[in-house]
Amino acid sequence: MTITRRDFLNGTALTIAAGLAPTSVLRAAEAQGPAYPPALTGLRGNHPGTFTLAHSLAREGAKYPGVLARESYDLVVVGGGIGGLAAAWFYQQRFGGNARILILDNHDDFGGHAKRNEFTVRGRTLVTYGGSAEMPPSANDNAAVRALLAGLDLAPRIQARPGDDYARRGLGRAVFFDAEHFGRDQWLAGDPFAALVDARNAGVRPAPEDLGAFLNAAPLPPADRQALQRLAQGETDYLSGMAGEARARYAQSTRYAVFLREKAGLGLPGLRFLRSRSQDAYALDADGITVAQAISIGLPAGAGMAAPAIDPRLGKSPASRLWFPDGNATLARALASKLVPGVAAAQGQEIVGARFDYSKLDREGNPVRIRLNSTAIAIEPDVRITRVTYGWQGNLQRVEAAHVVVAGYDMMVPFILPSLPVPAKAALRACVKAPLVYTKVALDNWRAFDALKTWRIHAPTMAYSDLWLESAPGGKDDPVVLHMLYVPTVPDSGMSARERFRAGRAFLLGTPFEVLERDIRAQLDRMLAAGGFKSARDIQGITVNRWAHGYSYMPSGLAPDDANLQVALEQAGRGVGNIRIAGADTAGSPSVTAAIEQSMRAVGSLNPKT
């Protein structure tokens, strides 16, 4: 499922709800709120209906009629992710717990990217994350995060890494080479290159001799084996004679794939072996990140280069850790239960296991109401009030508010808030999110993995490039969740990150669940056949968390126009009147820390009500 230039050209022609009249678009976007969304399987994340209205505005230029306002609030929050929920909580802290707040979200569940997935296998409930999962190491040092955690009575309980549990059972890593890119299908136990990256991030000396034995068995030509071994040893200065300042500029402005090809001497097979090592952190392959970005997550670049130093803007990095079993969905659930008392049977640390009553999220008389399946299409500031129009239950609705915080996808803001200054619109339109897929597979057991003595597999050029078993509660005969990472890329294209993201997004939105499921089963059957795996027998459920708008855009040295983007985003975040723009996009960071911090800033800058 790696996409090509042709896919990109075809994808850009994809139109959602093309030719439909506005009333038809509203009906197409209508969704019925399920009783308990986390337990739904199939296509989740940006599920059907979430983007219909938004695409009608941004792609089709649809015009919707005005309607009369029926409700009024102190605050309307556009976006029910962690940023939006946190904005409502910070608003209560500043303006009082009786403030009337309406939170609008276009999905059938709250939490934004911080979604919770649940499976029931043989009477056991398996809980996992469907999106935003880990916390950066700097989270505890962030004032906004500390204030929020204290208010929610939550303390970080860092989870053990999945591999720790399996390592005690004798399981390790593995790499799967596919015939389409390496000449033959080959399974190799171990992944010493991953161990090398881990060692670099830990500041310890790796063991390159392990990599040498691995490479000698890999389906790679001798020249690439030697080049990879030399790169891993880290003793070659590939930029010899280049002064420090010029060296830094090179690292900040050169694609890692170009460096590997032109300086490290890797051929196409060697490049393919390293291509997807950066996808989990950046949602970009080696051709889409700079040398400096590669170094920051532990990838080697030879002698004379800076040591790995994790960029605090990253949402997921080698230093990030899982705080809760369902990832950052616990934060979203804790916020929802605090904002809407009675929606959950427990609060604080017990929120992880609490059952939620979604019918109580939007009840008349509650100070805070969370209205799902609601897409904002217009925000109109006036002298003292702001009017927000949104689609809900097949109709247009309008509310009035003293304050508005927009905590959704920044790129959509210019379409729903056209009164923004032109420079602000340009900055927000530049925030093209990275697409990615977190697929969760509920397995009846993990006997095949035990037979292969592996818990994590790297498949450099297959659709799902990284797969790993989540922590096992019991033995190999017990149910478990398999995490699968898919990032649609346009490899070796030289495209900008924004072009890649747009192509990947179009490809994802144009691929039905049936095709995604077929390819998931086919890849697992192919990779795990030697362990006796059979998808028809062993898979008990599949949830495809499709994030067409996933990681927030991070400014890069590969895009010269990004030099002043962060300053422009900070200015755009000021909004107009009593409207503020928040969310992780405005921080140029996919980190949950950034989302919370932006919400605190936005609420703190609002003018008092008049």
Side-chain angles (χ1 to χ4, degrees):
M1 289 188 291
T2 297
I3 61 180
T4 64
R5 279 183 175 272
R6 177 174 295 179
D7 293 317
F8 172 72
L9 296 173
N10 291 338
T12 54
L14 176 70
T15 55
I16 306 299
L20 294 180
T23 53
S24 300
V25 177
L26 282 167
R27 288 195 295 271
E30 184 175 354
Q32 298 296 322
Y36 191 61
L40 294 178
T41 57
L43 193 56
R44 301 296 296 154
N46 298 133
H47 56 77
T50 59
F51 45 78
T52 308
L53 276 177
H55 284 185
S56 75
L57 290 172
R59 296 184 176 188
E60 307 301 321
K63 304 294 182 183
Y64 292 93
V67 294
L68 293 176
R70 296 185 177 182
E71 299 174 287
S72 63
Y73 292 88
D74 297 303
L75 171 69
V76 169
V77 181
V78 177
I82 285 182
L85 296 169
W89 186 84
F90 285 122
Y91 192 89
Q92 284 186 329
Q93 306 311 300
R94 184 179 177 197
F95 293 101
N98 293 325
R100 284 176 45 79
I101 301 173
L102 175 65
I103 302 170
L104 303 172
D105 195 88
N106 59 324
H107 294 83
D108 63 11
D109 199 357
F110 59 83
H113 293 127
K115 287 292 191 290
R116 176 181 172 109
N117 293 163
E118 294 184 15
F119 298 96
T120 300
V121 180
R122 289 191 272 137
R124 299 188 185 187
T125 299
L126 306 177
V127 174
T128 182
Y129 54 90
S132 176
E134 298 178 339
M135 282 284 189
S138 59
N140 276 323
D141 301 325
N142 185 278
V145 174
R146 287 201 309 270
L148 185 65
L149 291 176
L152 299 178
D153 192 26
L154 281 177
R157 295 180 176 178
I158 296 176
Q159 305 295 304
R161 294 186 185 277
D164 296 343
D165 187 26
Y166 291 106
R168 289 191 291 270
R169 304 167 189 241
L171 276 64
R173 293 175 178 254
V175 176
F176 184 83
F177 297 87
D178 66 291
E180 294 87 341
H181 295 90
F182 295 98
R184 65 177 184 268
D185 278 1
Q186 183 168 345
W187 172 281
L188 277 183
D191 187 355
F193 202 89
L196 163 76
V197 172
D198 290 343
R200 282 175 51 81
N201 285 316
V204 299
R205 187 170 181 82
E209 62 275 7
D210 294 337
L211 179 60
F214 176 90
L215 292 174
N216 286 335
L220 296 169
D224 277 343
R225 294 175 185 173
Q226 295 169 10
L228 285 166
Q229 182 72 39
R230 189 165 54 248
L231 179 69
Q233 287 172 336
E235 298 173 358
T236 302
D237 185 351
Y238 296 102
L239 304 182
S240 179
M242 190 177 291
E245 187 174 330
R247 185 181 294 252
R249 284 198 302 270
Y250 175 91
Q252 293 287 349
S253 61
T254 304
R255 298 175 187 272
Y256 188 52
V258 171
F259 164 82
L260 293 174
R261 182 172 59 249
E262 296 182 355
K263 301 296 185 182
L266 289 182
L268 183 57
L271 283 170
R272 285 172 170 169
F273 173 66
L274 290 184
R275 187 171 82 189
S276 58
R277 296 282 180 174
S278 57
Q279 289 184 167
D280 203 14
Y282 294 102
L284 288 165
D285 62 13
D287 190 49
I289 63 170
T290 66
V291 176
Q293 288 175 315
I295 292 171
S296 76
I297 58 172
L299 292 169
M305 293 293 202
I310 298 299
D311 188 335
R313 297 178 303 166
L314 281 174
K316 186 166 188 179
S317 75
S320 301
R321 295 300 297 270
L322 195 71
W323 280 10
F324 308 103
D326 59 357
N328 294 325
T330 282
L331 292 178
R333 287 159 61 86
L335 278 162
S337 67
K338 182 69 72 171
L339 294 167
V340 189
V343 73
Q347 292 189 2
Q349 300 286 41
E350 305 305 317
I351 202 69
V352 173
R355 182 82 175 186
F356 272 61
D357 185 348
Y358 278 68
S359 69
K360 295 181 179 179
L361 289 173
D362 186 12
R363 283 193 170 180
E364 182 70 35
N366 284 348
V368 180
R369 303 176 71 170
I370 301 175
R371 190 161 294 166
L372 302 174
N373 299 308
S374 303
T375 302
I377 64 169
I379 302 175
E380 305 160 279
D382 207 334
V383 177
R384 292 188 177 180
I385 62 169
T386 296
R387 297 177 180 87
V388 179
T389 303
Y390 61 98
W392 181 55
Q393 296 184 342
N395 295 294
L396 290 180
Q397 307 286 337
R398 177 181 275 181
V399 296
E400 296 178 343
H403 296 129
V404 173
V405 172
V406 184
Y409 180 22
D410 271 7
M411 196 176 179
M412 275 302 301
V413 178
F415 295 101
I416 63 177
L417 183 55
S419 59
L420 274 174
V422 172
K425 290 181 183 179
L428 297 171
R429 289 291 303 275
C431 296
V432 183
K433 283 180 175 286
L436 71 160
V437 174
Y438 280 3
T439 287
K440 302 290 183 166
V441 180
L443 300 177
D444 183 75
N445 60 77
W446 46 279
R447 295 174 198 144
F449 289 85
D450 184 66
L452 293 167
K453 296 304 174 187
T454 186
W455 67 275
R456 179 164 186 155
I457 308 166
H458 180 63
T461 48
M462 299 191 79
Y464 285 92
S465 58
D466 290 278
L467 307 80
W468 62 84
L469 293 174
E470 298 187 0
S471 294
K476 62 184 179 182
D477 293 326
D478 292 320
V480 72
V481 173
L482 175 68
H483 176 99
M484 302 178 68
L485 170 70
Y486 167 40
V487 179
T489 62
V490 191
D492 309 316
S493 66
M495 286 181 174
S496 70
R498 291 184 179 89
E499 289 175 322
R500 293 164 186 268
F501 295 163
R502 291 188 182 102
R505 175 167 65 247
F507 183 75
L508 284 183
L509 294 179
T511 306
F513 174 74
E514 292 74 18
V515 173
L516 294 169
E517 180 186 22
R518 179 200 66 198
D519 291 344
I520 290 163
R521 291 178 178 274
Q523 181 170 339
L524 291 177
D525 281 331
R526 181 176 176 182
M527 294 172 60
L528 302 172
F533 182 86
K534 293 183 179 180
S535 63
R537 178 195 64 205
D538 297 332
I539 292 178
Q540 300 299 309
I542 296 176
T543 299
V544 176
N545 296 283
R546 175 185 64 182
W547 298 114
H549 306 284
Y551 288 174
S552 295
Y553 183 84
M554 291 178 60
S556 166
L558 296 178
D561 292 344
D562 284 353
N564 299 315
L565 178 58
Q566 197 56 56
V567 173
L569 286 174
E570 291 173 5
Q571 294 172 342
R574 299 169 188 169
V576 293
N578 264 351
I579 304 169
R580 298 292 180 269
I581 316 299
D585 288 358
T586 313
S589 165
S591 168
V592 66
T593 304
I596 296 170
E597 190 171 48
Q598 286 296 309
S599 295
M600 185 184 210
R601 171 203 56 79
V603 171
S605 69
L606 287 170
N607 300 319
K609 293 176 289 184
T610 57

